């Protein structure tokens, strides 16, 4: 036992100080063979590091294991790449697995996107979902569909593509990434959502259609005290490049959470886009200051529509409390003011940094959120006026088809377009050290992203994904994607049971919330909703 303990102690000592001894021995060896000078060149820096490690007080591992402990930090940095390229299988990896990323890469590059030898999914597990194809596919469908966004109160409706670029701000994304996205959107005739960081010079660089997202910080339309400035709003909103206005209520990764861009990161370009002073903290409060009730929000939306010259006004939210959605519905019916569109962001969405607790535990997933908002609009009779969009891990034609079957009229994608730009999911978005130049303000890293080249990939990805979507509509024997219905989609319950979405989820009939709310799963939430407050009414 004593020998065993002695061996363990010796092994521990070698682990701690062995690397330093090896450096000393290497120096001596170089000296013996007559190359002492070169030996010192290579080993003295290592000795300096070892002595520093031993003497410093900040890192326990460095102090206890000079030199060797640095291997841990190296492996931490290399871990995402090693896992992605050496360890993960095709269906592993989060938030997007290798197969999903490879599909986007192939389509953006115009490469073969077929898959050999059948599905790798276990079709008898709950990971398998499917769409019902027809014995008589309908090849006589239009080459392209678009959706007209704009209610009867909208003077300038917009014809939107069925797949667009979701909200990603300049500041979160690099200048080169924004330019590539906008040029790609212009070439493909789809829209580019600005994110809440305002309209930058790079959003305007290629004339692509813009949806201007306005968050609680009112960037691009704010006064010096951070409140909303109607005059500045009108100046930007009436620009012909801006096609729609989107009120951001919440976003997938961190719903209900504000944010701060430290003044140290607010460059001249970012300050110009956001309407703040250089070096000033950009604060996005958790809630808007222009309204505090559902009715107040709609009155502000009507004001935005007038100030913009009649352009569509919508809102984006990650669904949280159902009664709050119903409160907005009741406010629309009571005031007569309707939104032109609603974007539902799923909790699985998110292109920037967020507290891990929010990413993992706050917000309703896209499927449940989309169904709830669809039921609120259909059940209240408002769906004919208001278009519904889905955002959250959209990256394929099949994913789009599932969203349409749940009530979506069009889709937005964020991270998929980042992949099209070259993102490798290194998970460095929040560190300003993105290796592909997509999510960084470091000019040396941005240099690798050539906007003209990546813009073509953005256009190709969108075009090929819509082509795949169209082929799925053809295979289902339908005339258009809005005919995809819950009974045409199925999923597994367990290894021996499956059922259609029509039976697994409740889909309301037109007017059902108005005529018989007590017969719906939303009876309690509907009763708790009131147009003059977001609070739950007892």
């Amino acid at each position: 036992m004593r020998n065993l303990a002695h061996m363990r102690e010796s092994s521990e000592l070698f682990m701690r100080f062995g690397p330093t001894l090896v450096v000393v021995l290497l120096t001596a060896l170089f000296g013996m063979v007559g190359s002492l000078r070169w030996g010192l060149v290579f080993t003295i820096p290592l000795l300096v590091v070892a002595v520093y490690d031993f003497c410093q007080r900040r890192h326990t591992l460095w102090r206890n294991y000079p030199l060797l402990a640095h291997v841990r930090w190296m492996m931490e940095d290399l871990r995402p790449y090693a896992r992605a390229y050496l360890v993960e299988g095709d269906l592993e990896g989060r938030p997007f697995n290798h197969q999903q990323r490879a599909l986007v890469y192939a389509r953006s590059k115009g490469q073969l996107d077929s898959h050999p030898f059948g599905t790798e999914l276990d079709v008898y597990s709950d990971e398998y979902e499917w769409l019902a194809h027809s014995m008589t596919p309908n090849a006589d469908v239009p080459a392209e569909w678009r959706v007209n966004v704009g209610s009867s109160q909208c003077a300038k409706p917009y014809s939107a593509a069925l797949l667009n670029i979701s909200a990603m701000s300049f500041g979160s994304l690099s200048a080169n990434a924004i330019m590539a996205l906008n040029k790609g959107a212009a070439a493909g005739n789809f829209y580019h959502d600005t994110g809440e960081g305002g309209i930058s010079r790079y959003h305007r660089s290629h004339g692509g259609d813009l949806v201007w997202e306005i968050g609680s910080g009112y960037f691009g339309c704010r006064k010096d005290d951070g409140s909303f400035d109607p005059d500045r709003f009108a100046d930007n909103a009436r620009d012909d490049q801006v096609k729609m206005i989107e009120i951001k209520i919440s976003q997938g990764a961190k719903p209900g959470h504000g944010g701060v861009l430290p003044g140290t990161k607010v460059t001249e370009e970012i300050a110009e886009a956001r309407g703040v002073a250089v070096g000033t903290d950009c604060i996005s409060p958790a809630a808007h200051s222009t309204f505090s009730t559902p009715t107040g929000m709609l009155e502000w939306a009507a004001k935005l529509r007038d100030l913009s010259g009649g352009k569509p006004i919508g809102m984006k939210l990650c669904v949280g409390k159902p009664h709050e959605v119903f409160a907005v519905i009741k406010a629309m019916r009571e005031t007569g003011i309707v939104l032109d569109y609603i974007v539902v962001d799923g909790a699985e969405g998110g292109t920037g940094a967020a507290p891990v607790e929010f990413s993992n535990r706050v917000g309703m997933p896209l499927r449940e959120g989309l169904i709830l908002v669809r039921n609120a609009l259909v059940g209240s009779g408002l769906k004919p006026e208001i278009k519904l969009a889905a955002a959250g891990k959209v990256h394929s034609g099949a994913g789009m088809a599932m969203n349409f079957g749940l009530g979506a009229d069009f889709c937005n994608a964020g991270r998929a377009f980042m992949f099209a730009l070259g993102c490798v999911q290194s998970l460095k978005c929040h560190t300003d050290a993105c290796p592909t130049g997509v999510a960084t303000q470091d000019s040396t890293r941005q240099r690798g992203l050539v906007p003209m080249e990546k813009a073509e990939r953005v256009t190709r990805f969108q075009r090929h994904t819509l082509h795949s979507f169209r082929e799925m509509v053809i295979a289902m024997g339908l005339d258009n994607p809005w005919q995809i219905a819950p009974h045409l989609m199925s999923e597994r319950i367990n290894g021996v049971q499956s059922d259609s979405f029509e039976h697994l989820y409740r889909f309301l009939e037109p007017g059902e919330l108005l005529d018989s709310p007590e017969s719906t799963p939303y009876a309690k939430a509907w009763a708790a909703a009131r147009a003059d407050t977001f609070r739950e009414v007892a």
Side-chain angles (χ1 to χ4, degrees), residues 83-112:
R83 185 175 63 227
Y85 300 131
L86 301 176
V87 179
E88 289 176 356
D90 284 353
L91 300 179
E92 297 174 329
R94 301 285 180 88
F96 286 81
N97 64 41
H98 181 271
Q99 190 178 93
Q100 292 168 333
R101 301 196 304 270
L103 177 65
V104 177
Y105 295 146
R107 286 180 172 164
S108 67
K109 296 175 183 177
Q111 296 174 346
L112 186 67

Side-chain angles (χ1 to χ4, degrees), residues 14 47 67 152 174 179 237 253 255 278 280 294 298 339 380 393 475 516:
F14 181 78
L47 284 171
L67 284 182
S152 59
S174 69
M179 285 192 288
V278 176
T280 302
L298 292 175
L339 296 169
S380 64
K393 293 192 77 172
S516 55

Side-chain angles (χ1 to χ4, degrees), residues 94-97 100 348-349 366 391-396 399 412-413 415:
R94 301 285 180 88
F96 286 81
N97 64 41
Q100 292 168 333
E348 64 270 43
L366 176 60
K393 293 192 77 172
V394 177
H395 74 284
S396 69
N412 292 338
R415 287 169 292 182

Side-chain angles (χ1 to χ4, degrees), residues 241-264:
Q241 193 178 350
V242 175
K243 303 301 181 183
M244 300 197 294
I245 313 298
E246 186 170 290
I247 302 169
K248 176 192 168 185
I249 303 298
S250 57
Q251 66 186 80
K254 48 181 179 181
H257 188 278
V260 178
L261 181 65
T264 54

